[in-house]
């Protein structure tokens, strides 16, 4: 469907402003965030890679997690092995700490004699806190960040980089999924996973391996009752939420996969979307902020349009 002329003109004006990274006069009627999405083209969207998509099935429904092998390849490979071995089936959500994280895995915790075997997955992995920035299609945001020299997005993942060290890493934004570890930096293997449910704990950046992000289903995790024990662990086993199954999308019949697509974060439409968030010009807003935090940009997700639509 062709863009409506007014929307197309406003979109181009917003893109120019975002690319210039400098204050410019607002167009006569700037696009709202929803209008940017409505004016997007099919090429502005992508489908998730089934081999890098994890379906976590809870009693309340499914959580869709996009894994990030470009940042944590060894952890992602281990999570894939765990999912294919049905390791998570029958385990549980064991921790819900207010304004911090929800964590799932083996409730036996450190009791090695009671823990479930990992199957084909590896017990020991290297820490993957960062990776070389070279080779990443890093799409930077125009505004400064308090935690990193530069922030932006890589294939839909909120990320940071440091030109001086040449490193890049995923940021701990709402919905980020990480691999729990003990004191040793290399003590995570993907069998204990957590998701950020509160104010972005960016102090965790570069201190723990981040393996992906929740794309759909955050409401199934963020609303769980808070645990009463230290760090939000459930002291009553009856509060634990059972994991019915965890499967890679590639191991699920195609007709049973989630039919969703996410906005690409390397296009002019994405730049316009960012600008619509950093300078809210909706009628309700009196003062456009002129700034956006990397963790306040949710990548849009939508159902895959039907061929007739």
């Amino acid at each position: 469907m062709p863009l409506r002329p007014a929307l197309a003109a406003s979109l181009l004006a917003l893109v120019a402003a975002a690319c210039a990274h400098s204050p410019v006069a607002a167009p006569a009627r700037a696009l709202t965030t929803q209008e940017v999405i409505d004016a997007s083209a099919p090429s502005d969207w992508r489908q998730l890679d089934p081999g890098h998509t994890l379906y976590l099935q809870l009693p309340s429904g499914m959580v869709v997690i996009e894994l990030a092998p470009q940042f944590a390849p060894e952890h992602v490979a281990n999570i894939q092995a765990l999912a294919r071995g049905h390791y998570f089936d029958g385990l549980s959500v064991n921790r819900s700490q207010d304004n911090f994280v929800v964590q799932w895995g083996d409730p036996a915790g450190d009791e090695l004699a009671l823990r479930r075997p990992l199957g084909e997955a590896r017990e020991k992995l290297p820490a993957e806190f960062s990776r070389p920035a070279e080779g990443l299609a890093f799409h930077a945001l125009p505004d400064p960040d308090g935690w990193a020299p530069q922030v932006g997005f890589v294939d839909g993942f909120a990320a940071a980089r440091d030109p001086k060290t040449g490193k890049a890493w995923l940021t701990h934004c709402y919905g980020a999924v990480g691999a729990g570890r003990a004191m040793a930096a290399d003590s995570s293997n993907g069998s204990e996973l957590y998701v950020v449910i509160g104010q972005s704990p960016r102090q965790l950046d570069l201190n723990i391996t981040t393996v992906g992000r929740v794309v759909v289903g955050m409401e199934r995790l963020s609303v769980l009752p808070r645990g009463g024990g230290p760090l939000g662990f459930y002291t009553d086993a009856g509060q634990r939420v059972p994991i019915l199954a965890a499967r890679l999308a590639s191991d699920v019949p195609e007709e049973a996969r989630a039919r969703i697509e996410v906005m690409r974060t390397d296009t002019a439409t994405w730049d316009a979307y960012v600008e619509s968030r950093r300078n809210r010009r909706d009628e309700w807003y009196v003062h456009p902020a002129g700034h956006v935090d990397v963790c306040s940009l949710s990548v849009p997700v939508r159902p895959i349009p039907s061929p007739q639509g």
Side-chain angles (χ1 to χ4, degrees), residues 5 28 39 54 70 93 101 118 127 142-143 221 225 266 271 276:
L54 183 69
Q70 60 273 60
V93 176
V101 301
L118 298 182
D143 299 312
L221 298 166
D266 60 350
D271 289 337
S276 77

Side-chain angles (χ1 to χ4, degrees), residues 86-92 105 107 116 241-246:
H86 299 183
Y87 170 81
F88 291 104
D89 298 12
L91 297 183
S92 57
R116 179 175 292 185
V241 178
I243 296 173
L244 305 181

Side-chain angles (χ1 to χ4, degrees), residues 8-241:
S10 294
L11 179 59
L12 289 175
L14 281 178
V15 170
C19 292
H21 295 177
S22 60
V24 295
R29 196 189 72 78
L31 292 182
T32 66
T33 297
Q34 188 58 52
E35 287 172 336
V36 171
I37 294 172
D38 292 343
S40 64
S43 59
D44 292 318
W45 300 80
R46 66 179 176 86
Q47 296 183 32
L48 301 181
D49 182 336
H52 298 148
T53 303
L54 183 69
Y55 294 158
L56 189 70
Q57 191 68 43
L58 303 177
S60 60
M62 188 167 68
V63 178
V64 180
I65 298 171
E66 183 177 26
L67 301 172
Q70 60 273 60
F71 284 90
E74 298 203 45
H75 278 74
V76 168
N78 232 39
I79 292 168
Q80 290 170 323
L82 291 168
R84 290 190 173 116
H86 299 183
Y87 170 81
F88 291 104
D89 298 12
L91 297 183
S92 57
V93 176
N94 306 312
R95 174 189 180 194
S96 177
Q97 186 172 1
D98 191 48
N99 198 33
F100 196 43
V101 301
V102 161
Q103 184 169 319
W104 63 92
D106 195 329
D110 296 330
E111 299 180 62
L112 297 181
L114 301 178
R115 286 185 64 84
R116 179 175 292 185
L118 298 182
E120 297 297 320
R122 295 160 58 191
E123 181 73 39
K124 191 75 171 176
L125 297 178
E128 295 181 294
F129 299 166
S130 66
R131 57 149 290 167
E134 185 177 0
L136 282 178
F138 190 95
H139 200 77
L141 293 180
D143 299 312
D145 180 72
W147 297 91
Q150 295 178 333
V151 289
F153 283 78
V154 177
D155 300 329
F157 292 94
R161 69 179 176 186
D162 186 345
K164 290 184 178 179
T165 64
K167 291 181 179 180
W169 58 93
L170 294 179
T171 57
H172 271 77
C173 297
Y174 183 80
V177 176
R181 71 171 177 90
M183 189 62 70
D186 62 350
S187 55
S188 63
N189 57 26
S191 62
E192 293 283 338
L193 297 173
Y194 66 86
V195 61
V196 175
I197 63 165
Q199 175 68 26
S200 309
R202 296 284 302 281
Q203 74 277 7
L204 296 180
D205 292 1
L206 292 172
N207 286 290
I208 200 163
T209 299
T210 312
V211 300
R213 67 186 184 103
V214 171
V215 176
V216 172
M218 269 300 296
E219 70 280 4
R220 307 187 193 286
L221 298 166
S222 62
V223 301
L224 294 179
R226 303 314 187 225
L231 303 178
F233 278 94
Y234 293 125
T235 55
D236 180 356
Q239 286 188 290
R240 297 172 184 156
V241 178

